[in-house]
Structure formats: structure tokens, C-alpha cells
Amino acid sequence: MQHFALIGVAGYVAPRHLRAIKDTGNRLIAAMDPTDSVGVLDAYFPEAAFFVEFERFDRHLEKFRQNGQALHYVSICSPNYLHDAHIRFGLRQGADVICEKPLVLNPWNAEALQRNEQETGRRVYTILQLRLHPVILALKKQVETQIVAKKHDIDLTYITSRGAWYFASWKGEMSKSGGIATNIGVHFFDMLIWIFGPVQKSEVHLHSHDRAAGYLELERARVRWFLSIDEKTLPEAIQEKGARTYRSISIDGQELEFSEGFTDLHTESYREILAGRGFGLVDAAPSIALVHDIREAEVLGLSGEYHPLAALPQAKHPFK
């Protein structure tokens, strides 16, 4: 049984990490979050110590180690802009670290963490769960075994509806979340680069508070992409069903169906990490560099190879 600590236990994604720790037969000894709405712990680790102050959390882990017990992993579900600081904290605890995506916001943050890994002898892992999805694995194998390399034409559409609360939270602040392309798109960009090769060209046609769109040329693919948190951008058929999320990848005109199979991917990610096969800093680096470049890029407007949904009317920011 491995001992875990978790930072950001009141967060949206934390229950997936709690379940992964439990389902892999391990123990959460302590959790920390400045928000005390953490009743979710009762469903997984009611005996875990909980702190709203980082200093007391730190002291608890120090006492745990002084009593001769090992802290094996620190899991991080805190806001994106705090990831690199919390990763360094975990490494200084003598633990390996499992951090929710995006691992960090900027390429230089990842480079600094590589030096921290070398200094501490510990590892940093991230959650890139799409790499474990059976449909995505099959696609990667198909592309790799093609006798004649070709450039595929891809449309990526990901819409995950969020309410007005989103813009009042840290997620609505570019400096804290990295914006739409980073916050909800980084794992899709990672998946595309992983399968179709490195980025050769990137254009941004739209980048606002609730959506982003652009064009990527990869070694083996041309990609038009659209990301949104506005429910009004959902296809009509999806809206009629009352659904609030839509994932679509069209490859050479053929729809890749992968809407199912997401339930246990965090647990599978933990199993891979515990077995020594997790994804680390080097794996995450290309997508981190891409979303940083998207964030800093000039917005070109509706020109060139833009995604059709980029032309949809846009709602105003609810608080501006």
C-alpha cells in the first residue's frame, strides 16, 4: 500500500483522483484545500487528515515522515497556475508527484521541473488519459502501420458547457488557467501530436473568453480545431437530448466515435504510474509548448483553414 497526499481536494477533478487512489488499493493520509467543502472525502477516505492551511498540511506530512513512515506520492488537483509550485513541494517531500493536466502553463516551467527531478531523484507524472483510451490506442496503431505515410484531414470539436460561475472562478482568468485552449484542450492537442507527429504550423483564428479555434499542421495531419464552453455552440441534436458535452474527431471525413470509455481512465493512469509506465515531463512538453504558443499568437480572424463553428455568433462575457 502506497501513501498519498492530495492538494486541491475540493476541486472539480479531485474525485477522479480519490477514486483512483482507492481503486488501486492505496491510502490517502492527508489532503489540503483552502475551501472546506470536501465532504467527498467521506466516500473514499474519511480517515484522511484535512487542512485548509498549507502550513499545517506541511507540518502534518513532516511529522508523518519523522515517525518513520514514507510518503510515496503527492497528487495535485489545484488551479493550473499553482501546479509547478505544488509539484516542487511534492518533490521536496521526497515523493513522486502526480499532477492533473495541464502539467504547467509554460515550457520554461517544465524545464525547471526537470532540474528539480534530477536534484531530488523523484519523478513527476501527469494525467494524459486519452493516450489510454482504447479507441485512441487503436487509431495510433492504425496510423503507425500505414504503408504509405499521408497527411490526414482532421476536424476536432470539443464543447463542454460551463455556466456563469466559470468566469468568476480562477478558470476564467487567462493568467491562472491559461485560457480555453489550455484549460480544456491540452489533452486533445497532446493526443493529436502523439499520434500524428510534431507541430509544423499553427494558426489561431479565434481566442476569447468562451471559445477558441485554429489550424494545425502536424507531420501527418492537417487539423481544424474548435473548443468551446458555450452551450449555444452545441449541435442542435445534442441540445435536444439535454446533453452538455460534445466530442467529435473527424478523420478524412469519417467520424471517430470515442464518446464512451472515459469513466475509468484516471484509475488506469494511476495503475500505469504505479507500474512505472506513467507519462512524465518529456511526454507533456510538446502540448505545453503548443498551448503556450496559441495563447501568445496573433488572432487572425476567419481566414484560411478555419473550423466552420468558428463563425458562430459569440456571447458577451457575463461580467464585462
Side-chain angles (χ1 to χ4, degrees):
M1 180 178 288
Q2 305 287 289
H3 295 146
F4 281 76
L6 195 152
I7 301 173
V9 71
Y12 170 80
V13 77
R16 300 179 195 177
H17 289 256
L18 292 170
R19 178 180 175 184
I21 295 168
K22 187 175 181 65
D23 287 354
T24 52
N26 297 298
R27 176 188 173 204
L28 182 72
I29 63 161
M32 181 269 162
D33 200 291
T35 300
D36 61 7
S37 299
V38 293
V40 65
L41 282 170
D42 289 345
Y44 297 98
F45 299 101
E47 74 286 354
F50 172 69
F51 303 89
V52 296
E53 295 169 300
F54 202 94
E55 294 79 6
R56 291 184 174 182
F57 175 67
D58 183 13
R59 183 168 62 198
H60 180 81
L61 296 181
E62 182 67 24
K63 288 181 178 179
F64 185 79
R65 293 199 314 277
Q66 287 177 353
N67 289 334
Q69 301 187 78
L71 175 65
H72 300 101
Y73 290 92
V74 174
S75 294
I76 297 171
C77 305
S78 55
N80 300 349
Y81 72 108
L82 298 176
H83 283 179
D84 64 322
H86 289 160
I87 290 170
R88 288 194 299 273
F89 170 82
L91 295 174
R92 289 196 298 269
Q93 296 296 313
D96 289 336
V97 174
I98 302 173
C99 185
E100 186 54 53
K101 62 190 178 300
L103 184 62
V104 290
L105 291 181
N106 303 301
W108 54 87
N109 300 139
E111 293 166 4
L113 288 174
Q114 286 182 306
R115 294 191 292 272
N116 294 141
E117 276 190 326
Q118 295 168 0
E119 292 165 0
T120 61
R122 310 311 303 177
R123 287 290 312 276
V124 178
Y125 298 100
T126 191
I127 303 294
L128 298 173
Q129 74 269 37
L130 285 180
R131 294 193 185 199
L132 302 178
H133 194 292
V135 173
I136 302 303
L137 285 168
L139 174 62
K140 181 174 173 61
K141 183 176 181 180
Q142 176 186 334
V143 170
E144 288 177 341
T145 55
Q146 287 174 339
I147 296 174
V148 179
K150 60 173 286 190
K151 283 216 174 188
H152 300 270
D153 290 306
I154 297 175
D155 276 3
L156 165 67
T157 309
Y158 179 47
I159 304 167
T160 179
S161 307
R162 298 289 186 266
W165 67 267
Y166 185 97
F167 304 103
S169 76
W170 62 266
K171 295 184 179 185
E173 294 188 42
M174 180 78 75
S175 63
K176 292 184 176 181
S177 70
I180 294 294
T182 301
N183 201 41
I184 71 168
V186 67
H187 56 308
F188 287 102
F189 292 130
D190 169 78
M191 177 266 289
L192 291 170
I193 294 169
W194 184 56
I195 295 175
F196 296 102
V199 177
Q200 297 176 335
K201 179 181 180 181
S202 174
E203 294 179 348
V204 177
H205 302 125
L206 173 68
H207 199 184
S208 69
H209 63 286
D210 67 355
R211 66 194 71 181
Y215 172 76
L216 288 176
E217 192 146 335
L218 307 178
E219 185 177 59
R220 300 184 70 173
R222 293 176 290 265
V223 183
R224 300 188 302 182
W225 57 268
F226 178 80
L227 308 167
S228 171
I229 58 170
D230 181 0
E231 65 180 348
K232 293 183 178 63
T233 61
L234 288 166
E236 188 174 333
I238 301 299
Q239 294 187 47
E240 289 174 354
K241 293 178 183 178
R244 292 179 59 80
T245 298
Y246 176 69
R247 300 180 186 90
S248 171
I249 296 180
S250 171
I251 303 175
D252 299 325
Q254 299 294 314
E255 184 74 17
L256 180 71
E257 174 55 49
F258 72 118
S259 57
E260 304 297 329
F262 282 83
T263 307
D264 299 320
L265 290 183
H266 274 69
T267 297
E268 288 303 311
S269 296
Y270 269 64
R271 288 197 178 106
E272 290 295 299
I273 290 167
L274 290 162
R277 297 187 297 266
F279 303 117
L281 289 163
V282 172
D283 300 296
S287 58
I288 291 169
L290 174 59
V291 293
H292 168 266
D293 291 346
I294 289 171
R295 193 161 60 245
E296 299 295 323
E298 177 188 0
V299 178
L300 301 177
L302 301 183
S303 63
E305 293 290 333
Y306 66 88
H307 193 290
L309 294 184
L312 288 174
Q314 188 167 351
K316 294 181 179 179
H317 194 295
F319 300 120
K320 292 182 179 179

